[in-house]
Amino acid sequence: MKVSFVIRTLNEGKTLGEVLRRIQLLDDSFEKEIVIVDSGSSDNTIDIAKKYNAKIIRISQSEWSWGKSLNMGIENSSGDFIAVISGHCFISKKDFLEKSIS
């Protein structure tokens, strides 16, 4: 089973690496997909996402809304489950997915 993490970003370079690192460290049996929906970052957000093999979807700031960016991320996901987090929110429990999905 696969979990797609949809992460909306705008200049999240200071925190995104840690967010993605913690996703990789989750203690579970799920395949993981990272889908970044970026609304025009001008920092190193995209470079960090690429290091983690994330699928990057771009949306212009003029088109951006919470709902539209979420819908774009979900439409571009292939997981059996979707986890939506922000580019500055850290998952603190290694069993996060197991507990959430059960």
Side-chain angles (χ1 to χ4, degrees):
M1 299 258 270
K2 183 192 287 187
V3 177
S4 296
F5 285 84
V6 174
I7 305 172
R8 294 171 295 190
T9 59
L10 175 61
N11 295 326
E12 299 286 358
K14 291 181 182 177
T15 55
L16 186 61
E18 181 65 13
V19 171
L20 299 178
R21 185 184 77 79
R22 289 185 187 204
I23 289 171
Q24 285 187 332
L25 292 175
L26 290 173
D27 187 23
D28 56 58
S29 59
F30 295 102
E31 180 183 349
K32 294 168 192 76
E33 172 184 53
I34 306 295
V35 179
I36 300 290
V37 181
D38 187 77
S39 57
S41 291
S42 59
D43 65 356
N44 61 342
T45 296
I46 299 301
D47 293 332
I48 293 167
K50 287 178 180 177
K51 287 180 186 176
Y52 286 85
N53 297 316
K55 183 184 293 185
I56 300 166
I57 310 302
R58 297 178 193 261
I59 184 172
S60 68
Q61 288 184 2
S62 63
E63 290 183 286
W64 185 92
S65 72
W66 291 107
K68 186 169 187 171
S69 60
L70 271 179
N71 287 339
M72 288 178 70
I74 291 168
E75 288 169 1
N76 285 279
S77 298
S78 62
D80 301 293
F81 299 96
I82 306 288
V84 177
I85 61 174
S86 294
H88 54 269
C89 294
F90 302 125
I91 296 171
S92 60
K93 304 280 185 183
K94 287 189 176 188
D95 61 352
F96 165 78
L97 286 178
E98 293 289 340
K99 286 188 174 182
S100 296
I101 291 171
S102 68

